[in-house]
Amino acid sequence: MKTLLTSLAFSLGATAAASQPLTGIFASIDGGILNIEDWRGAPVLVVNTASRCGFTHQYDALQTLQDRYADAGLVVLAVPSNDFLQELGSNDAVKDFCEVNFSLTLPMATITPVTGRDAHPFYRQLQDVAGFTPLWNFDKVLIGSDGTLLQTWRSVTSPLSRKITGAVEAALP
């Protein structure tokens, strides 16, 4: 019941915040930067991830989602974080782990704080605009093609669930 109330409260808050675009520049695990603004015009699914989490198997589904909808414009951005003490010790280790175990090709940030006072500015903005903070690894945030927040999901929601694929399909240009 608490989860249902929390989800309902967030959904109501997200509607009010929908007019303020979310922005963020992340350091890329491959070098360079990943700027959410560069993907304006396409929906972006941002997911905080961790290599040693019970939800790590969702990397397969995230890659499938990216592969399925990339030609239509979707970008799936993985943001590794050690905020829940389940990430590997270096960016190189995370990159190797994801390539070897999941053949990931989707954009990935470097290990990034997503909660608390050290949270990345994107996640601080998300908290300010919509009251959403990751509670665990693999929480998901869908940003519309205009940069506004469309919806969020917690870890337990599979990236290939109808909830997410339906929202992604509705957001595609």
Side-chain angles (χ1 to χ4, degrees), residues 87-119:
E87 189 51 273
L88 299 172
S90 73
N91 291 316
D92 287 339
V94 171
K95 183 177 176 179
D96 291 345
F97 174 83
C98 290
E99 287 176 354
V100 169
N101 293 292
F102 300 100
S103 302
L104 287 189
T105 61
L106 49 96
M108 182 176 281
T110 58
I111 299 171
T112 304
V114 299
T115 63
R117 68 176 188 197
D118 294 330

Side-chain angles (χ1 to χ4, degrees), residues 63-91:
Q63 184 65 53
T64 298
L65 195 68
Q66 173 75 37
D67 293 343
R68 184 181 296 171
Y69 296 108
D71 287 345
L74 176 69
V75 176
V76 177
L77 172 61
V79 181
S81 178
N82 196 35
D83 283 5
F84 305 106
L85 306 176
Q86 294 188 318
E87 189 51 273
L88 299 172
S90 73
N91 291 316

Side-chain angles (χ1 to χ4, degrees), residues 13 25 36 38 46 55 59 86 89 101 107 110 113 117 125 149 165:
I25 297 173
I36 290 175
D38 290 344
V46 182
F55 292 104
Y59 271 132
Q86 294 188 318
N101 293 292
T110 58
R117 68 176 188 197
Q125 183 187 21
L149 176 65
T165 60

Side-chain angles (χ1 to χ4, degrees), residues 89-168:
S90 73
N91 291 316
D92 287 339
V94 171
K95 183 177 176 179
D96 291 345
F97 174 83
C98 290
E99 287 176 354
V100 169
N101 293 292
F102 300 100
S103 302
L104 287 189
T105 61
L106 49 96
M108 182 176 281
T110 58
I111 299 171
T112 304
V114 299
T115 63
R117 68 176 188 197
D118 294 330
H120 184 279
F122 169 82
Y123 284 96
R124 287 197 314 264
Q125 183 187 21
L126 188 59
Q127 169 64 39
D128 291 345
V129 167
F132 184 85
T133 299
L135 297 179
W136 197 244
N137 305 306
F138 290 87
D139 279 356
K140 300 150 195 79
V141 176
L142 182 61
I143 302 169
S145 59
D146 62 355
T148 59
L149 176 65
L150 295 179
Q151 200 159 352
T152 63
W153 299 272
R154 296 295 180 191
S155 304
V156 296
T157 306
S158 167
L160 296 176
S161 70
R162 188 66 193 136
K163 290 177 185 178
I164 293 179
T165 60
V168 165

